[in-house]
Amino acid sequence: MPRKTSSVPAPQYLKVKNHLRERIASGHWVAGDLLPSEAELVALFAVSRMTVNRALRELSQDGLVERLQGVGTFVAQLHRISSTLNVRDVHDEILQRGHQHQAKLHSLETQPADAQQAADFGLSLGAALFHSVIVHFENGVAIQCEDRWVNPACAPGYLGLDFTQTTPTNYLLEVAPLSEARYTIESLLPSALEAKLLGISRRDPCLIVKRRTFSRGQTVTTVRLTHPGSLYVLEGSFQA
């Protein structure tokens, strides 16, 4: 006879915390938005002020909100990802902000090059390319969907990497020193897969960076980096 188990209800503060976290992740509140007051949250969840205070305190410690005494609680600006027009590792950018980076691998496989990819990589139609799709998180919030194609001749060990421990950018810069990068930047709606992986609606605008990098005259990789528009700011500078 199977042994009976009893489920322990989640602490009340976690219900408040998770509700607020999910609203921020979905884009219901974006950076700079004022959250409901403690009194409003007490009434909404029928819990004590101490419970609400703990939920907000932990969200603040996670870097998702900023609390200003006497003013209120705001969605933090600090979790917005910023980038210059250099090839930078998203892991390093997040750590520089004092936040936690996590990566979730969606797919990693070999696929035949279509006509456009064959032209981009200088390969024959149907030649093997490595393909990966990875979602990057900052303090638990999905901020980037990385859809990448890689030239096996430039990075033969790519399929054997553990992308929870390293990033494609970090590995590729080591094995194929960068000589050139070309960008396009667009504001577009996400694909169905991108919306699902980022936890957003297909109607939510995204900032999409498409990048092609070269080493020793060869195309090493092409990548599509899709970011929820409310979580991304692009910065750059040029010198003649």
Side-chain angles (χ1 to χ4, degrees):
M1 184 174 179
R3 185 177 178 181
K4 293 184 178 179
T5 59
S6 58
S7 58
V8 179
Q12 292 295 311
Y13 83 90
L14 275 182
K15 294 180 181 179
V16 179
K17 179 182 178 181
N18 290 338
H19 172 82
L20 297 176
R21 178 189 288 275
E22 289 167 5
R23 288 296 187 94
I24 293 171
S26 70
H28 179 80
W29 293 309
V30 299
D33 281 354
L34 177 65
L35 299 188
S37 68
E38 289 191 13
E40 290 171 325
L41 292 172
V42 165
L44 177 63
F45 290 95
V47 295
S48 68
R49 184 175 289 270
M50 183 180 299
T51 296
V52 168
N53 188 273
R54 178 173 179 181
L56 294 175
R57 184 174 70 250
E58 291 198 1
L59 287 173
S60 178
Q61 291 169 347
D62 291 343
L64 292 179
V65 304
E66 293 178 340
R67 306 179 72 189
L68 300 179
Q69 188 172 3
V71 180
T73 301
F74 298 83
V75 179
Q77 297 282 348
L78 296 180
H79 77 284
R80 290 160 59 111
I81 179 172
S82 62
S83 177
T84 62
L85 294 181
N86 296 317
V87 176
R88 298 188 63 195
D89 190 344
V90 64
H91 173 80
D92 293 340
E93 290 192 8
I94 291 171
L95 290 187
Q96 285 172 8
R97 290 192 286 277
H99 292 172
Q100 184 179 9
H101 169 251
Q102 304 90 30
K104 183 176 181 180
L105 179 66
H106 175 72
S107 61
L108 180 63
E109 58 193 347
T110 301
Q111 293 240 345
D114 62 23
Q116 182 60 59
Q117 291 163 344
D120 287 343
F121 284 90
L123 301 173
S124 59
L125 181 65
L129 291 174
F130 297 151
H131 181 227
S132 61
V133 178
I134 300 170
V135 183
H136 297 279
F137 296 81
E138 182 169 356
N139 286 349
V141 177
I143 61 164
Q144 183 186 93
C145 180
E146 174 186 340
D147 189 333
R148 183 181 295 273
W149 296 86
V150 176
N151 186 344
C154 298
Y158 191 78
L159 293 185
L161 297 177
D162 180 357
F163 289 116
T164 64
Q165 300 300 315
T166 190
T167 62
T169 297
N170 183 62
Y171 169 73
L172 292 172
L173 288 176
E174 286 185 358
V175 299
L178 180 68
S179 60
E180 182 185 354
R182 300 176 188 172
Y183 287 85
T184 63
I185 303 168
E186 301 175 275
S187 177
L188 299 171
L189 297 178
S191 68
L193 177 61
E194 289 166 341
K196 178 181 178 181
L197 294 178
L198 291 170
I200 60 177
S201 165
R202 288 207 66 186
R203 297 185 299 274
D204 290 340
C206 291
L207 188 64
I208 296 177
V209 178
K210 298 177 184 177
R211 188 175 70 215
R212 181 180 171 196
T213 57
F214 302 80
S215 179
R216 304 182 183 93
Q218 284 186 295
T219 298
V220 176
T221 182
T222 62
V223 63
R224 174 183 166 111
L225 305 172
T226 301
H227 316 82
S230 62
L231 302 181
Y232 191 88
V233 59
L234 183 68
E235 299 173 346
S237 60
F238 297 87
Q239 290 182 336

